[in-house]
Amino acid sequence: MDDDLVGTQTPQRRITDPEEALALLERAVPGLTDLRRPTRAVIDWAGFEESLDTGLPADYKYLAEWYPTFAMGDFLLVHLPEPGEEDRSLQAIRRTLAVLADAWLEPGLGLLAHPAPGGLLPWGESCDSDKFMWNTTGRSPQDWIVTVASRGGAWWHYGGGAVQFLAEYCNGILEPWGLPPIDLEVPPC
């Protein structure tokens, strides 16, 4: 694999408020609201985060409380824990981390899997094996940025959170560096 760190895209303004980030995503992907839960789900975040040995960004947790796992355009799958099935989500994350550590990550580029300091922690993937992860560097999970590993071997960073990344990828603000244009259809998973 020809690993190449392309660079970092920085949003005009980093959105740190989870409600604002979700509203931006819902505007970018209007069909997404068809999947929105009628009431906010209760997820065992304390147990989930303890098992991961890290907290998680507030925007991601807010997204998971209002939405189940979903795909965008039969391309990008956003993994979200389900109430009562947190262990299943943790097992999936651990499997993905093992794959990342074995086949994708390059210590020479500073790309290590969580729980290594600053290690990458997956939150989504594409049908073409692109990986969408948090770079866990920062004082808190709210400081984490997104790292994308595209199927062509290029790596790049996005200086915002996962939900803002999804919104800006879908509304065309983000330069998709190695990713195809996204179809905004949201089929049920």
Side-chain angles (χ1 to χ4, degrees), residues 108-140:
L109 293 174
L111 301 170
L112 302 171
H114 174 75
L120 300 174
L121 185 60
W123 55 263
E125 64 186 310
S126 80
C127 62
D128 292 333
S129 297
D130 302 293
K131 305 293 183 207
F132 302 90
M133 303 162 283
W134 291 291
N135 180 314
T136 61
T137 301
R139 292 185 320 265
S140 79

PDB file of all heavy atoms in Angstrom, residues 108-140:
ATOM      1  N   GLY A 108       5.538   4.707  11.039  1.00  0.00           N
ATOM      2  CA  GLY A 108       6.435   5.732  10.500  1.00  0.00           C
ATOM      3  C   GLY A 108       5.723   7.025  10.165  1.00  0.00           C
ATOM      4  O   GLY A 108       6.329   8.093  10.141  1.00  0.00           O
ATOM      5  N   LEU A 109       4.412   6.950   9.897  1.00  0.00           N
ATOM      6  CA  LEU A 109       3.617   8.145   9.618  1.00  0.00           C
ATOM      7  C   LEU A 109       2.950   8.676  10.888  1.00  0.00           C
ATOM      8  O   LEU A 109       2.198   9.635  10.838  1.00  0.00           O
ATOM      9  CB  LEU A 109       2.530   7.839   8.581  1.00  0.00           C
ATOM     10  CG  LEU A 109       2.996   7.515   7.172  1.00  0.00           C
ATOM     11  CD1 LEU A 109       1.811   7.102   6.307  1.00  0.00           C
ATOM     12  CD2 LEU A 109       3.706   8.703   6.562  1.00  0.00           C
ATOM     13  N   GLY A 110       3.189   8.008  12.001  1.00  0.00           N
ATOM     14  CA  GLY A 110       2.546   8.411  13.248  1.00  0.00           C
ATOM     15  C   GLY A 110       1.104   7.960  13.331  1.00  0.00           C
ATOM     16  O   GLY A 110       0.326   8.497  14.103  1.00  0.00           O
ATOM     17  N   LEU A 111       0.738   6.974  12.550  1.00  0.00           N
ATOM     18  CA  LEU A 111      -0.634   6.477  12.518  1.00  0.00           C
ATOM     19  C   LEU A 111      -0.699   5.159  13.279  1.00  0.00           C
ATOM     20  O   LEU A 111      -0.279   4.121  12.782  1.00  0.00           O
ATOM     21  CB  LEU A 111      -1.096   6.294  11.075  1.00  0.00           C
ATOM     22  CG  LEU A 111      -1.063   7.565  10.223  1.00  0.00           C
ATOM     23  CD1 LEU A 111      -1.304   7.240   8.764  1.00  0.00           C
ATOM     24  CD2 LEU A 111      -2.080   8.575  10.720  1.00  0.00           C
ATOM     25  N   LEU A 112      -1.193   5.221  14.497  1.00  0.00           N
ATOM     26  CA  LEU A 112      -1.295   4.064  15.365  1.00  0.00           C
ATOM     27  C   LEU A 112      -2.753   3.871  15.759  1.00  0.00           C
ATOM     28  O   LEU A 112      -3.550   4.802  15.720  1.00  0.00           O
ATOM     29  CB  LEU A 112      -0.445   4.274  16.623  1.00  0.00           C
ATOM     30  CG  LEU A 112       1.039   4.544  16.380  1.00  0.00           C
ATOM     31  CD1 LEU A 112       1.725   4.955  17.676  1.00  0.00           C
ATOM     32  CD2 LEU A 112       1.703   3.307  15.793  1.00  0.00           C
ATOM     33  N   ALA A 113      -3.078   2.660  16.157  1.00  0.00           N
ATOM     34  CA  ALA A 113      -4.448   2.365  16.588  1.00  0.00           C
ATOM     35  C   ALA A 113      -4.634   2.711  18.057  1.00  0.00           C
ATOM     36  O   ALA A 113      -3.697   2.608  18.858  1.00  0.00           O
ATOM     37  CB  ALA A 113      -4.758   0.891  16.353  1.00  0.00           C
ATOM     38  N   HIS A 114      -5.837   3.132  18.401  1.00  0.00           N
ATOM     39  CA  HIS A 114      -6.221   3.306  19.797  1.00  0.00           C
ATOM     40  C   HIS A 114      -6.036   1.958  20.484  1.00  0.00           C
ATOM     41  O   HIS A 114      -6.299   0.939  19.865  1.00  0.00           O
ATOM     42  CB  HIS A 114      -7.686   3.765  19.857  1.00  0.00           C
ATOM     43  CG  HIS A 114      -8.226   3.846  21.235  1.00  0.00           C
ATOM     44  ND1 HIS A 114      -7.896   4.851  22.100  1.00  0.00           N
ATOM     45  CD2 HIS A 114      -9.054   3.022  21.914  1.00  0.00           C
ATOM     46  CE1 HIS A 114      -8.503   4.654  23.243  1.00  0.00           C
ATOM     47  NE2 HIS A 114      -9.212   3.556  23.150  1.00  0.00           N
ATOM     48  N   PRO A 115      -5.507   1.840  21.666  1.00  0.00           N
ATOM     49  CA  PRO A 115      -5.348   2.837  22.699  1.00  0.00           C
ATOM     50  C   PRO A 115      -3.975   3.520  22.749  1.00  0.00           C
ATOM     51  O   PRO A 115      -3.667   4.174  23.745  1.00  0.00           O
ATOM     52  CB  PRO A 115      -5.602   2.048  23.981  1.00  0.00           C
ATOM     53  CG  PRO A 115      -5.042   0.710  23.689  1.00  0.00           C
ATOM     54  CD  PRO A 115      -5.348   0.487  22.217  1.00  0.00           C
ATOM     55  N   ALA A 116      -3.164   3.381  21.705  1.00  0.00           N
ATOM     56  CA  ALA A 116      -1.885   4.107  21.690  1.00  0.00           C
ATOM     57  C   ALA A 116      -2.162   5.597  21.849  1.00  0.00           C
ATOM     58  O   ALA A 116      -3.196   6.084  21.377  1.00  0.00           O
ATOM     59  CB  ALA A 116      -1.146   3.851  20.374  1.00  0.00           C
ATOM     60  N   PRO A 117      -1.287   6.344  22.502  1.00  0.00           N
ATOM     61  CA  PRO A 117      -1.500   7.790  22.629  1.00  0.00           C
ATOM     62  C   PRO A 117      -1.712   8.429  21.255  1.00  0.00           C
ATOM     63  O   PRO A 117      -0.916   8.233  20.344  1.00  0.00           O
ATOM     64  CB  PRO A 117      -0.207   8.288  23.281  1.00  0.00           C
ATOM     65  CG  PRO A 117       0.323   7.087  24.009  1.00  0.00           C
ATOM     66  CD  PRO A 117      -0.055   5.906  23.152  1.00  0.00           C
ATOM     67  N   GLY A 118      -2.821   9.149  21.111  1.00  0.00           N
ATOM     68  CA  GLY A 118      -3.155   9.754  19.825  1.00  0.00           C
ATOM     69  C   GLY A 118      -3.619   8.751  18.789  1.00  0.00           C
ATOM     70  O   GLY A 118      -3.774   9.086  17.620  1.00  0.00           O
ATOM     71  N   GLY A 119      -3.859   7.516  19.222  1.00  0.00           N
ATOM     72  CA  GLY A 119      -4.252   6.451  18.299  1.00  0.00           C
ATOM     73  C   GLY A 119      -5.574   6.719  17.608  1.00  0.00           C
ATOM     74  O   GLY A 119      -6.414   7.475  18.090  1.00  0.00           O
ATOM     75  N   LEU A 120      -5.737   6.087  16.466  1.00  0.00           N
ATOM     76  CA  LEU A 120      -6.943   6.257  15.661  1.00  0.00           C
ATOM     77  C   LEU A 120      -8.043   5.326  16.146  1.00  0.00           C
ATOM     78  O   LEU A 120      -7.801   4.156  16.430  1.00  0.00           O
ATOM     79  CB  LEU A 120      -6.630   6.009  14.193  1.00  0.00           C
ATOM     80  CG  LEU A 120      -5.583   6.957  13.605  1.00  0.00           C
ATOM     81  CD1 LEU A 120      -5.233   6.542  12.182  1.00  0.00           C
ATOM     82  CD2 LEU A 120      -6.058   8.394  13.646  1.00  0.00           C
ATOM     83  N   LEU A 121      -9.257   5.860  16.222  1.00  0.00           N
ATOM     84  CA  LEU A 121     -10.412   5.129  16.712  1.00  0.00           C
ATOM     85  C   LEU A 121     -11.514   5.234  15.655  1.00  0.00           C
ATOM     86  O   LEU A 121     -11.965   6.332  15.340  1.00  0.00           O
ATOM     87  CB  LEU A 121     -10.858   5.735  18.044  1.00  0.00           C
ATOM     88  CG  LEU A 121     -11.984   5.064  18.800  1.00  0.00           C
ATOM     89  CD1 LEU A 121     -11.634   3.616  19.151  1.00  0.00           C
ATOM     90  CD2 LEU A 121     -12.307   5.851  20.070  1.00  0.00           C
ATOM     91  N   PRO A 122     -11.935   4.094  15.079  1.00  0.00           N
ATOM     92  CA  PRO A 122     -12.895   4.137  13.965  1.00  0.00           C
ATOM     93  C   PRO A 122     -14.319   4.483  14.392  1.00  0.00           C
ATOM     94  O   PRO A 122     -14.768   4.098  15.458  1.00  0.00           O
ATOM     95  CB  PRO A 122     -12.836   2.711  13.414  1.00  0.00           C
ATOM     96  CG  PRO A 122     -12.452   1.875  14.580  1.00  0.00           C
ATOM     97  CD  PRO A 122     -11.546   2.729  15.426  1.00  0.00           C
ATOM     98  N   TRP A 123     -15.004   5.219  13.496  1.00  0.00           N
ATOM     99  CA  TRP A 123     -16.427   5.501  13.695  1.00  0.00           C
ATOM    100  C   TRP A 123     -17.230   5.251  12.427  1.00  0.00           C
ATOM    101  O   TRP A 123     -18.452   5.246  12.448  1.00  0.00           O
ATOM    102  CB  TRP A 123     -16.664   6.922  14.202  1.00  0.00           C
ATOM    103  CG  TRP A 123     -16.082   8.017  13.364  1.00  0.00           C
ATOM    104  CD1 TRP A 123     -14.894   8.655  13.572  1.00  0.00           C
ATOM    105  CD2 TRP A 123     -16.641   8.613  12.182  1.00  0.00           C
ATOM    106  NE1 TRP A 123     -14.683   9.599  12.594  1.00  0.00           N
ATOM    107  CE2 TRP A 123     -15.745   9.597  11.733  1.00  0.00           C
ATOM    108  CE3 TRP A 123     -17.820   8.406  11.466  1.00  0.00           C
ATOM    109  CZ2 TRP A 123     -15.978  10.366  10.587  1.00  0.00           C
ATOM    110  CZ3 TRP A 123     -18.059   9.176  10.332  1.00  0.00           C
ATOM    111  CH2 TRP A 123     -17.149  10.142   9.912  1.00  0.00           C
ATOM    112  N   GLY A 124     -16.561   4.987  11.313  1.00  0.00           N
ATOM    113  CA  GLY A 124     -17.274   4.716  10.073  1.00  0.00           C
ATOM    114  C   GLY A 124     -16.368   4.099   9.035  1.00  0.00           C
ATOM    115  O   GLY A 124     -15.141   4.074   9.188  1.00  0.00           O
ATOM    116  N   GLU A 125     -16.987   3.588   7.973  1.00  0.00           N
ATOM    117  CA  GLU A 125     -16.225   3.007   6.863  1.00  0.00           C
ATOM    118  C   GLU A 125     -17.086   3.045   5.609  1.00  0.00           C
ATOM    119  O   GLU A 125     -18.299   3.216   5.675  1.00  0.00           O
ATOM    120  CB  GLU A 125     -15.801   1.583   7.173  1.00  0.00           C
ATOM    121  CG  GLU A 125     -16.956   0.613   7.338  1.00  0.00           C
ATOM    122  CD  GLU A 125     -16.502  -0.760   7.776  1.00  0.00           C
ATOM    123  OE1 GLU A 125     -15.576  -1.306   7.156  1.00  0.00           O
ATOM    124  OE2 GLU A 125     -17.066  -1.280   8.745  1.00  0.00           O
ATOM    125  N   SER A 126     -16.422   2.891   4.482  1.00  0.00           N
ATOM    126  CA  SER A 126     -17.176   2.883   3.222  1.00  0.00           C
ATOM    127  C   SER A 126     -17.239   1.469   2.673  1.00  0.00           C
ATOM    128  O   SER A 126     -16.494   0.577   3.104  1.00  0.00           O
ATOM    129  CB  SER A 126     -16.512   3.806   2.199  1.00  0.00           C
ATOM    130  OG  SER A 126     -15.405   3.166   1.595  1.00  0.00           O
ATOM    131  N   CYS A 127     -18.100   1.290   1.697  1.00  0.00           N
ATOM    132  CA  CYS A 127     -18.196  -0.008   1.032  1.00  0.00           C
ATOM    133  C   CYS A 127     -16.932  -0.298   0.225  1.00  0.00           C
ATOM    134  O   CYS A 127     -16.699  -1.433  -0.159  1.00  0.00           O
ATOM    135  CB  CYS A 127     -19.438  -0.066   0.155  1.00  0.00           C
ATOM    136  SG  CYS A 127     -19.429   1.145  -1.181  1.00  0.00           S
ATOM    137  N   ASP A 128     -16.114   0.716  -0.001  1.00  0.00           N
ATOM    138  CA  ASP A 128     -14.849   0.553  -0.726  1.00  0.00           C
ATOM    139  C   ASP A 128     -13.650   0.425   0.214  1.00  0.00           C
ATOM    140  O   ASP A 128     -12.511   0.553  -0.216  1.00  0.00           O
ATOM    141  CB  ASP A 128     -14.613   1.753  -1.663  1.00  0.00           C
ATOM    142  CG  ASP A 128     -15.607   1.793  -2.802  1.00  0.00           C
ATOM    143  OD1 ASP A 128     -16.121   0.721  -3.196  1.00  0.00           O
ATOM    144  OD2 ASP A 128     -15.881   2.899  -3.298  1.00  0.00           O
ATOM    145  N   SER A 129     -13.917   0.213   1.501  1.00  0.00           N
ATOM    146  CA  SER A 129     -12.881   0.035   2.527  1.00  0.00           C
ATOM    147  C   SER A 129     -12.189   1.317   2.952  1.00  0.00           C
ATOM    148  O   SER A 129     -11.129   1.265   3.580  1.00  0.00           O
ATOM    149  CB  SER A 129     -11.838  -1.002   2.097  1.00  0.00           C
ATOM    150  OG  SER A 129     -12.442  -2.262   1.946  1.00  0.00           O
ATOM    151  N   ASP A 130     -12.749   2.485   2.631  1.00  0.00           N
ATOM    152  CA  ASP A 130     -12.228   3.721   3.203  1.00  0.00           C
ATOM    153  C   ASP A 130     -12.544   3.672   4.697  1.00  0.00           C
ATOM    154  O   ASP A 130     -13.584   3.160   5.090  1.00  0.00           O
ATOM    155  CB  ASP A 130     -12.917   4.940   2.584  1.00  0.00           C
ATOM    156  CG  ASP A 130     -12.757   4.994   1.076  1.00  0.00           C
ATOM    157  OD1 ASP A 130     -11.638   5.182   0.611  1.00  0.00           O
ATOM    158  OD2 ASP A 130     -13.789   4.843   0.387  1.00  0.00           O
ATOM    159  N   LYS A 131     -11.656   4.209   5.513  1.00  0.00           N
ATOM    160  CA  LYS A 131     -11.856   4.217   6.963  1.00  0.00           C
ATOM    161  C   LYS A 131     -11.994   5.652   7.450  1.00  0.00           C
ATOM    162  O   LYS A 131     -11.242   6.537   7.038  1.00  0.00           O
ATOM    163  CB  LYS A 131     -10.684   3.555   7.692  1.00  0.00           C
ATOM    164  CG  LYS A 131     -10.362   2.144   7.231  1.00  0.00           C
ATOM    165  CD  LYS A 131     -11.459   1.178   7.563  1.00  0.00           C
ATOM    166  CE  LYS A 131     -11.050  -0.230   7.140  1.00  0.00           C
ATOM    167  NZ  LYS A 131     -12.165  -1.075   6.833  1.00  0.00           N
ATOM    168  N   PHE A 132     -12.948   5.877   8.359  1.00  0.00           N
ATOM    169  CA  PHE A 132     -13.211   7.184   8.955  1.00  0.00           C
ATOM    170  C   PHE A 132     -13.000   7.032  10.453  1.00  0.00           C
ATOM    171  O   PHE A 132     -13.668   6.209  11.103  1.00  0.00           O
ATOM    172  CB  PHE A 132     -14.633   7.644   8.628  1.00  0.00           C
ATOM    173  CG  PHE A 132     -14.876   7.722   7.152  1.00  0.00           C
ATOM    174  CD1 PHE A 132     -15.348   6.629   6.450  1.00  0.00           C
ATOM    175  CD2 PHE A 132     -14.589   8.884   6.454  1.00  0.00           C
ATOM    176  CE1 PHE A 132     -15.553   6.685   5.080  1.00  0.00           C
ATOM    177  CE2 PHE A 132     -14.789   8.953   5.075  1.00  0.00           C
ATOM    178  CZ  PHE A 132     -15.265   7.854   4.392  1.00  0.00           C
ATOM    179  N   MET A 133     -12.050   7.806  10.994  1.00  0.00           N
ATOM    180  CA  MET A 133     -11.619   7.599  12.367  1.00  0.00           C
ATOM    181  C   MET A 133     -11.404   8.926  13.069  1.00  0.00           C
ATOM    182  O   MET A 133     -11.250   9.960  12.425  1.00  0.00           O
ATOM    183  CB  MET A 133     -10.292   6.821  12.370  1.00  0.00           C
ATOM    184  CG  MET A 133     -10.389   5.486  11.654  1.00  0.00           C
ATOM    185  SD  MET A 133      -8.779   4.809  11.213  1.00  0.00           S
ATOM    186  CE  MET A 133      -8.348   5.789   9.782  1.00  0.00           C
ATOM    187  N   TRP A 134     -11.350   8.864  14.379  1.00  0.00           N
ATOM    188  CA  TRP A 134     -10.899  10.001  15.158  1.00  0.00           C
ATOM    189  C   TRP A 134      -9.410   9.849  15.401  1.00  0.00           C
ATOM    190  O   TRP A 134      -8.932   8.752  15.694  1.00  0.00           O
ATOM    191  CB  TRP A 134     -11.564  10.055  16.529  1.00  0.00           C
ATOM    192  CG  TRP A 134     -13.009  10.364  16.541  1.00  0.00           C
ATOM    193  CD1 TRP A 134     -13.612  11.549  16.227  1.00  0.00           C
ATOM    194  CD2 TRP A 134     -14.056   9.482  16.934  1.00  0.00           C
ATOM    195  NE1 TRP A 134     -14.958  11.451  16.402  1.00  0.00           N
ATOM    196  CE2 TRP A 134     -15.258  10.185  16.835  1.00  0.00           C
ATOM    197  CE3 TRP A 134     -14.093   8.154  17.359  1.00  0.00           C
ATOM    198  CZ2 TRP A 134     -16.485   9.625  17.149  1.00  0.00           C
ATOM    199  CZ3 TRP A 134     -15.301   7.593  17.671  1.00  0.00           C
ATOM    200  CH2 TRP A 134     -16.487   8.328  17.567  1.00  0.00           C
ATOM    201  N   ASN A 135      -8.704  10.936  15.339  1.00  0.00           N
ATOM    202  CA  ASN A 135      -7.340  11.000  15.821  1.00  0.00           C
ATOM    203  C   ASN A 135      -7.487  11.462  17.266  1.00  0.00           C
ATOM    204  O   ASN A 135      -7.938  12.572  17.516  1.00  0.00           O
ATOM    205  CB  ASN A 135      -6.539  12.004  14.988  1.00  0.00           C
ATOM    206  CG  ASN A 135      -5.118  12.129  15.432  1.00  0.00           C
ATOM    207  OD1 ASN A 135      -4.841  12.232  16.614  1.00  0.00           O
ATOM    208  ND2 ASN A 135      -4.217  12.128  14.482  1.00  0.00           N
ATOM    209  N   THR A 136      -7.149  10.605  18.221  1.00  0.00           N
ATOM    210  CA  THR A 136      -7.462  10.858  19.626  1.00  0.00           C
ATOM    211  C   THR A 136      -6.455  11.772  20.324  1.00  0.00           C
ATOM    212  O   THR A 136      -6.328  11.743  21.546  1.00  0.00           O
ATOM    213  CB  THR A 136      -7.615   9.535  20.401  1.00  0.00           C
ATOM    214  OG1 THR A 136      -6.377   8.818  20.340  1.00  0.00           O
ATOM    215  CG2 THR A 136      -8.739   8.694  19.826  1.00  0.00           C
ATOM    216  N   THR A 137      -5.781  12.604  19.561  1.00  0.00           N
ATOM    217  CA  THR A 137      -4.871  13.588  20.137  1.00  0.00           C
ATOM    218  C   THR A 137      -5.673  14.801  20.593  1.00  0.00           C
ATOM    219  O   THR A 137      -6.551  15.260  19.873  1.00  0.00           O
ATOM    220  CB  THR A 137      -3.830  14.033  19.082  1.00  0.00           C
ATOM    221  OG1 THR A 137      -3.108  12.877  18.653  1.00  0.00           O
ATOM    222  CG2 THR A 137      -2.869  15.041  19.644  1.00  0.00           C
ATOM    223  N   GLY A 138      -5.375  15.288  21.751  1.00  0.00           N
ATOM    224  CA  GLY A 138      -6.047  16.481  22.267  1.00  0.00           C
ATOM    225  C   GLY A 138      -6.318  16.356  23.740  1.00  0.00           C
ATOM    226  O   GLY A 138      -6.218  15.277  24.323  1.00  0.00           O
ATOM    227  N   ARG A 139      -6.666  17.480  24.348  1.00  0.00           N
ATOM    228  CA  ARG A 139      -6.953  17.494  25.793  1.00  0.00           C
ATOM    229  C   ARG A 139      -8.198  16.679  26.126  1.00  0.00           C
ATOM    230  O   ARG A 139      -8.293  16.088  27.184  1.00  0.00           O
ATOM    231  CB  ARG A 139      -7.146  18.924  26.280  1.00  0.00           C
ATOM    232  CG  ARG A 139      -5.901  19.777  26.251  1.00  0.00           C
ATOM    233  CD  ARG A 139      -6.163  21.164  26.863  1.00  0.00           C
ATOM    234  NE  ARG A 139      -7.456  21.717  26.510  1.00  0.00           N
ATOM    235  CZ  ARG A 139      -7.685  22.555  25.504  1.00  0.00           C
ATOM    236  NH1 ARG A 139      -6.704  22.965  24.754  1.00  0.00           N
ATOM    237  NH2 ARG A 139      -8.908  23.011  25.265  1.00  0.00           N
ATOM    238  N   SER A 140      -9.172  16.694  25.227  1.00  0.00           N
ATOM    239  CA  SER A 140     -10.422  15.966  25.467  1.00  0.00           C
ATOM    240  C   SER A 140     -10.957  15.482  24.118  1.00  0.00           C
ATOM    241  O   SER A 140     -10.511  15.942  23.061  1.00  0.00           O
ATOM    242  CB  SER A 140     -11.441  16.879  26.145  1.00  0.00           C
ATOM    243  OG  SER A 140     -12.047  17.734  25.209  1.00  0.00           O
TER     244      SER A 140
END
